Amino acid sequence: MMNLNAVFQYFTNGMDLGTFLQHLTNGISLGSLYALVAIGYTMVYGTLRLINFAHGDVFMMTTYFAFYGVSTFMLPWYVSFILAVILTGALGMLLEKGAYRPLRNAPKISIMISAIGASFLLENLAVVLFGGRPKAFPSVKVLTDSVQFGSVSIQKLTFVIPIVTIIFLFGLLYLLNHTKTGMAMRAVAKDYETAGIMGVNVNLTISQTFAIGSMLAAVGGIMWGLKFPQIAPLMGVMPGLKAFIAAVIGGIGNIKGAVIGGFILGIGEIMIVAFLPSLSGYRDAFAFVFLIVILLFKPTGITGEKIAEKV
Amino acid sequence: MLKIENLNVAYGGIEALKGISIEVEEGKIVTLVGANGAGKSTVLRSIMGLVKPKTGNITYHGKNLLAVKRHDIVKNGITLVPEGRRVFPDMTVLENLKLGAFTRKDQKEIKKDIDWVYTLFSRLKEREWQLAGTLSGGEQQMLAVGRALMSRPKLLMMDEPSLGLAPMIVKDIFNIIREIHSQGMTILLIEQNANAALHIADVGYVIETGLITLKGTGKELLANEDVKKAYLGESVIKLKA
Ligand SMILES: Nc1ncnc2c1ncn2[C@@H]1O[C@H](COP(=O)(O)OP(=O)(O)O)[C@@H](O)[C@H]1O
Ligand SMILES: [Mg+2]
């Protein structure tokens, strides 16, 4: 062990193995959160060719739902979290119905402006309803406790987040590949007119796509709140932006790509700061630089799926 | 069975159909022939609820079809093999067929129908697990027809099923249309290949820039001088000779 550590330190500029693993797990758990949010971007894009700018704000709303569930309604945390996820799904459906459906046949630029408008609306609504001052997200001891591994102590959440993410990922893949609803979602994403001929209710299916994307973001939002327990109306902006970048890096429209992009971004961000502490002020810039590099060399993203423009 | 009266359809300002009437009787093969852009696809798209007519009626067994929701049309026993096949390229052959049966819940019967489609198109069976996007054009057309059959339609509409296919395959497709028809299916067929279509059709309509200009039995239209000139390529053959 000593030797291994010495070799490791030789290659890592003096960082010992334990610290490295700690950073890695941190990166994985941050990456999981980006991945969960990125899936929503990619699903909506795959279906409507729309960048849902309000997705990060939907993520923010979840944390408030969960907050009020616990603090005002005195619900047990798990009940409140489940309700928050369901409410967020409903919010996503409402967003689609109110802001996007009326513009489905309008020029792309109109629906994009509507998305930006929806984002501002949610942010400002949050300021009005919940107040601009940050609130403390409910802490859940069983999840936020730390466990001791030799000399390092790691928050349980660091393991819980990737596990929960993987469970939901498999759930999503099962839904998409082995259920009728999932089949309809894939068909609508590819060619909604033909899906309609087959008897698929296109509006309902698009609604479901928004609900599922939003609920995954909600799961991410709750775990984000547990990990960084301060919530504010603009807290969704940066994670939303990074998750969007993750989706683009992975190849937008592709779910596996979104997950891969999320992990690359999360791990990359943590490692940059860990290895080059002098750059820690540029932590958020990493995602953007990486995006530019990927777009230069592989404009369709890592999974490289070509997306035909819909007519 | 199906009755279209005075159908008027416009895309933006452009009138695609200027008041056409068509009747499809149960058990018949009816074909629409006409040049590119005449409005043939628009007729089928109106029946499927994909475009909203400005005026006119479409009734099916006496029921107002224009009031039926788009995704419920197929439940009424009407389906369309769309122009350009439009199979789902990143789904397998089997998934495409299952999607054709989307509104059905009778799993056992669906299985039987998949087997039935496979007996009609043995090449699809061999390619059950292949992604539809990797099939040849002819195979994709067979899949598109098979997928449509999976809804157990009473009225099967086909929009240029032979388009872009090799003559050998076109022959196969027409044989299949005959075969399906002999099993009792009513068929509304659009074809560029007017000759072949009129040969198998009971009734044919000639459509020109949104208007029906001729109606007759397949035989009558095949013998009609105007039809010969405009659609049966006789003038072309004469020129060559
Ligand atoms: N989506 C559309 N938007 C505008 N015009 C269309 C559209 N679809 C068809 N048209 C026009 O309507 C007319 C009839 O088209 P269509 O029904 O496709 O003809 P056909 O199937 O006989 O070739 C054509 O002039 C075509 O250009
Ligand atoms: Mg056409």
Side-chain angles (χ1 to χ4, degrees), chain A residues 177 180 183-184 186-187 190-191 193-201 305, chain B residues 45 48 50 71 74 80 86 88 90-91 95 98-100 102-104 147:
Chain A
N177 293 322
K180 245 177 136 168
M183 195 191 246
R186 285 186 294 143
K190 214 56 188 186
D191 181 349
E193 197 172 274
T194 306
I197 294 173
M198 307 291 120
V200 174
N201 184 338
E305 196 187 5
Chain B
R45 293 168 56 77
M48 282 317 290
L50 300 174
H71 55 266
V74 69
L80 170 67
R86 308 269 286 261
F88 292 96
D90 50 6
M91 291 189 190
E95 278 180 313
K98 282 186 177 163
L99 206 56
F102 188 78
T103 56
R104 294 174 52 187
R147 182 181 62 180

Side-chain angles (χ1 to χ4, degrees), chain B residues 36-37 40-42 83 159-160 190:
Chain B
N36 232 334
K40 304 179 299 295
S41 297
T42 304
E83 192 170 1
D159 196 341
E160 308 210 17
I190 288 182

Side-chain angles (χ1 to χ4, degrees), chain B:
Chain B
M1 182 181 209
L2 182 83
K3 208 169 182 175
I4 300 176
E5 291 165 307
N6 268 318
L7 198 67
N8 241 290
V9 176
Y11 294 104
I14 307 153
E15 267 199 315
L17 299 181
K18 303 167 185 166
I20 68 157
S21 301
I22 289 171
E23 205 176 334
V24 180
E25 276 180 64
E26 193 140 17
K28 298 272 163 70
I29 299 184
V30 176
T31 184
L32 306 182
V33 297
N36 232 334
K40 304 179 299 295
S41 297
T42 304
V43 174
L44 302 197
R45 293 168 56 77
S46 307
I47 298 168
M48 282 317 290
L50 300 174
V51 289
K52 275 240 158 343
K54 230 168 42 180
T55 55
N57 292 314
I58 304 179
T59 49
Y60 177 72
H61 288 305
K63 178 180 187 175
N64 177 13
L65 214 52
L66 293 176
V68 175
K69 287 201 196 81
R70 182 182 297 187
H71 55 266
D72 286 335
I73 300 272
V74 69
K75 280 189 213 155
N76 283 275
I78 304 177
T79 193
L80 170 67
V81 180
E83 192 170 1
R85 328 190 218 293
R86 308 269 286 261
V87 294
F88 292 96
D90 50 6
M91 291 189 190
T92 63
V93 167
L94 183 62
E95 278 180 313
N96 268 275
L97 292 179
K98 282 186 177 163
L99 206 56
F102 188 78
T103 56
R104 294 174 52 187
K105 298 199 165 60
D106 44 345
Q107 293 304 328
K108 262 195 195 143
E109 293 297 303
I110 290 175
K111 278 224 173 71
K112 270 192 210 160
D113 286 354
I114 289 176
D115 288 336
W116 170 54
V117 168
Y118 285 158
T119 54
L120 285 172
F121 306 103
S122 55
R123 294 164 74 149
L124 292 184
K125 180 160 180 63
E126 296 155 22
R127 290 164 176 75
E128 189 169 24
W129 300 104
Q130 204 170 314
L131 295 184
T134 66
L135 300 177
S136 73
E139 288 158 359
Q140 286 190 13
Q141 188 62 61
M142 292 170 190
L143 179 57
V145 175
R147 182 181 62 180
L149 292 176
M150 287 304 298
S151 68
R152 283 214 174 158
K154 307 223 164 45
L155 172 62
L156 175 67
M157 306 194 290
M158 292 191 240
D159 196 341
E160 308 210 17
S162 74
L163 192 71
L165 301 181
M168 279 292 291
I169 314 279
V170 174
K171 227 170 101 189
D172 285 351
I173 297 278
F174 273 92
N175 281 335
I176 289 291
I177 294 173
R178 266 213 194 97
E179 162 79 24
I180 298 165
H181 177 243
S182 73
Q183 294 184 18
M185 188 87 64
T186 310
I187 291 171
L188 178 52
L189 172 70
I190 288 182
E191 258 304 329
Q192 289 260 311
N193 191 341
N195 194 13
L198 290 172
H199 267 105
I200 62 167
D202 298 299
V203 180
Y205 289 84
V206 176
I207 175 166
E208 269 173 44
T209 55
L211 286 166
I212 301 288
T213 52
L214 265 176
K215 179 198 168 182
T217 63
K219 271 205 189 101
E220 280 166 5
L221 293 182
L222 277 171
N224 183 296
E225 285 304 318
D226 294 335
V227 173
K228 272 188 194 166
K229 253 197 218 130
Y231 305 109
L232 302 181
E234 215 172 67
S235 51
V236 180
I237 293 163
K238 271 181 193 158
L239 275 177
K240 275 183 190 160

Side-chain angles (χ1 to χ4, degrees), chain A residues 20-223:
Chain A
F20 175 79
L21 288 177
Q22 204 170 359
H23 286 308
L24 185 65
T25 47
N26 261 329
I28 289 172
S29 93
L30 183 64
S32 304
L33 297 176
Y34 289 154
L36 281 172
V37 183
I39 290 169
Y41 278 109
T42 233
M43 284 177 78
V44 165
Y45 186 87
T47 305
L48 294 183
R49 302 292 179 269
L50 160 75
I51 296 159
N52 180 10
F53 287 107
H55 193 55
D57 304 302
V58 166
F59 163 95
M60 169 275 294
M61 293 298 276
T62 308
T63 61
Y64 280 98
F65 294 154
F67 170 84
Y68 285 105
V70 171
S71 68
T72 306
F73 296 99
M74 313 291 271
L75 298 168
W77 61 269
Y78 46 90
V79 176
S80 168
F81 287 1
I82 291 170
L83 278 179
V85 170
I86 294 169
L87 275 176
T88 309
L91 178 65
M93 285 161 78
L94 194 71
L95 177 70
E96 187 269 326
K97 192 154 189 190
Y100 305 144
R101 191 177 300 178
L103 296 170
R104 197 168 304 153
N105 297 314
K108 280 274 151 338
I109 189 78
S110 314
I111 192 163
M112 201 154 113
I113 290 167
S114 187
I116 294 169
S119 166
F120 285 157
L121 177 72
L122 286 177
E123 286 165 15
N124 289 292
L125 203 65
V127 173
V128 173
L129 293 177
F130 315 136
R133 262 212 258 135
K135 295 190 187 314
F137 194 79
S139 81
V140 178
K141 281 271 170 300
V142 278
L143 300 176
T144 49
D145 269 354
S146 290
V147 276
Q148 204 69 26
F149 290 96
S151 60
V152 282
S153 90
I154 293 182
Q155 215 184 8
K156 276 189 205 159
L157 204 55
T158 310
F159 304 108
V160 170
I161 289 174
I163 292 168
V164 171
T165 301
I166 286 168
I167 292 170
F168 276 91
L169 261 180
F170 276 100
L172 176 69
L173 290 179
Y174 180 83
L175 175 91
L176 285 176
N177 293 322
H178 299 286
T179 69
K180 245 177 136 168
T181 307
M183 195 191 246
M185 288 167 73
R186 285 186 294 143
V188 166
K190 214 56 188 186
D191 181 349
Y192 66 86
E193 197 172 274
T194 306
I197 294 173
M198 307 291 120
V200 174
N201 184 338
V202 173
N203 281 337
L204 175 71
T205 306
I206 291 176
S207 225
Q208 287 166 336
T209 303
F210 269 83
I212 287 167
S214 302
M215 286 164 85
L216 290 173
V219 172
I222 284 170
M223 296 195 292

